[in-house]
Structure formats: structure tokens, C-alpha cells
Amino acid sequence: MKLPPLFRKGIVDALPVFAGYFAVVFAITAAGMAKDIPLWGQLLSALINFSGTGQTVLVQLYGNAGILSIVLTCLALNMRYLLMALAISQRIAPGTGLAKRCLVAMGITDEIVAVSLLQKQPLAFAYMLGLTTCSLLGWLGGTVFGGLGAHLLPSSAIAPLRLAPYAMFVAIILPAARKDRPVLSCVLLAIVFNLLLHLLPSDIRPSGASCMLLSGIAAAAVGAARSPGSSQEHDGTDSLPEGNRS
């Protein structure tokens, strides 16, 4: 059975994300197994949560907080996905129905959004489905192998994998920042804002996740005010064949 071209392209573009997710969740799951979190529970969380932050919170708070506390913490830390959803919604191909948009929304993560926004043409549902499917398989596969291999690898071999999400995200952002000066400006502004927030006194300084969220909002607002036409310049709607708009 031949896969649709856009679906296949989404899978290919997601291969680096697949590899990064596999390594990241492998380490998270191994840490969870060390805290006696059952593999089936971590696999279920990986499927319905699909968030490195959420998985990490589960492992860190397991046994020390109730389910409601864990859910609310994950909700607060993942509020940034609302901003990402707004960005993606402006790039979805015209004519994409509500049900398909909801499926796309279920796959919103930092890396998937970063790869999506690098595309010059409107985001077709088939492309987003391939991108999300491949990434999710890496996430679930890493969870399974992390659980099975938790007792086979020493902790010294698992610990370095925790740096994988940062390295993966930097590798995705840097090419876009090198090609597009407004993107580079936003990245640098976000870094400056984040540093300034961390210099505030501890009694009024937001949490680490809140600092990141506020820095991103401020940098995006400044970038949108300074370069309001950059999204239209890269829209590429007219270059998309009529048959690829669904």
C-alpha cells in the first residue's frame, strides 16, 4: 500500500524527532521504573499525555502528591501549548474540518510545532498526521524499551539522556534562526527576557516554567510588532497544488 506523498513527507521530517523522543522517554521511563511506577501506567501516561514535561512531573511527584496535584501541575507547565496551538491554527490548510483540527491539536508538542512552522506551504492534514504519528511512535517505543531496559543499563548510562530534549530543540530552532533574522531576534529576546526574570528577587520571581512561558510571550509580541508581515511572506498558499490542501 502506497502512502500519500504528504503523509510520507511528514514521517520523513519527523525522523529526527522520533530519535530524540525515543532517547528522552527511555530515560524518563527508566527513572519511573526505579520509583516503582508500573510500565503500563507510564505507557498510558505517554499515550494520553504526550509531553516530556508531563512525564517528568509524573515521575517526580509520584508517591509524594495526589493525582489532582499531578494533573494541575502538568496543566500549568503545559500552558505554552495554547500559544503553540494558536500559531499552528494560522498555518493549517484552508478547508481542514474541525475533527481533523482536533486530531492535529492532540499532537502539539514543542518539537512538532517547530518542525511544522519550518514548512513554507500551508500545513495539510496528511502532513501533520504523518508528522504526529511518527513522533508518537518514537515516544511510545521509547517508553516500552525504557521500561524493559531499566534493569539492564547502569544509571550512569541513562543520566546523560536527560539532556536530549534540550539538544533536540536547539537543533530544530537553529536552522530557522540562521535563515530568518526575525526568528533569530525572537530567540535572542526570549533568552534576554528569561535571564532578566531569573534576576528578580526570589519572593517575586515566577517559577522556571512560568519564566519560560512569559519570556516566550514577550518575545513573540515584540517580534510580531516589529515584523508583522513575516508570516505572510512564508505562507506559500499560492504555491500549494490544489490537490494538497486537505
Side-chain angles (χ1 to χ4, degrees):
M1 180 180 176
K2 188 175 181 180
L3 298 175
L6 286 175
F7 182 80
R8 186 166 61 249
K9 184 178 187 303
I11 291 177
V12 172
D13 288 351
L15 289 178
V17 180
F18 176 99
Y21 278 179
F22 190 97
V24 169
V25 78
F26 184 100
I28 295 174
T29 306
M33 296 295 291
K35 295 190 67 173
D36 297 325
I37 304 177
L39 178 58
W40 68 265
Q42 296 194 73
L43 187 60
L44 179 61
S45 175
L47 181 62
I48 64 177
N49 196 1
F50 197 18
S51 165
T53 304
Q55 289 289 96
T56 303
V57 166
L58 171 66
V59 172
Q60 291 180 343
L61 297 185
Y62 182 80
N64 300 317
I67 295 178
L68 182 59
S69 297
I70 295 175
V71 170
L72 292 178
T73 303
C74 289
L75 179 62
L77 292 176
N78 290 330
M79 288 293 287
R80 67 188 187 278
Y81 292 141
L82 295 177
L83 300 176
M84 297 180 191
L86 291 175
I88 289 293
S89 67
Q90 304 303 311
R91 299 290 306 278
I92 295 294
T96 304
L98 178 61
K100 292 182 178 180
R101 287 177 179 267
C102 289
L103 287 175
V104 171
M106 291 178 62
I108 288 180
T109 67
D110 300 7
E111 293 74 24
I112 289 177
V113 169
V115 173
S116 301
L117 295 181
L118 291 177
Q119 308 305 310
K120 294 184 177 180
Q121 54 273 94
L123 300 172
F125 174 71
Y127 174 81
M128 294 301 297
L129 185 62
L131 184 63
T132 302
T133 299
C134 183
S135 302
L136 181 59
L137 287 176
W139 194 254
L140 296 177
T143 301
V144 172
F145 280 90
L148 297 178
H151 304 295
L152 301 178
L153 294 177
S155 58
S156 58
I158 295 176
L161 294 177
R162 296 172 184 172
L163 297 176
Y166 307 102
M168 178 174 55
F169 194 69
V170 169
I172 291 173
I173 289 296
L174 280 182
R178 292 177 61 185
K179 294 179 182 178
D180 197 332
R181 182 166 294 182
V183 174
L184 177 60
S185 300
C186 282
V187 172
L188 295 177
L189 276 174
I191 294 173
V192 171
F193 289 149
N194 199 26
L195 290 174
L196 291 175
L197 287 173
H198 278 85
L199 291 176
L200 293 174
S202 59
D203 55 337
I204 62 173
R205 183 173 63 237
S207 65
S210 298
C211 286
M212 182 172 60
L213 180 62
L214 293 173
S215 302
I217 293 174
V222 173
R226 293 185 58 187
S227 306
S230 58
S231 62
Q232 284 84 356
E233 292 172 3
H234 298 286
D235 194 3
T237 302
D238 295 336
S239 63
L240 185 68
E242 188 67 31
N244 291 343
R245 297 188 181 182
S246 60

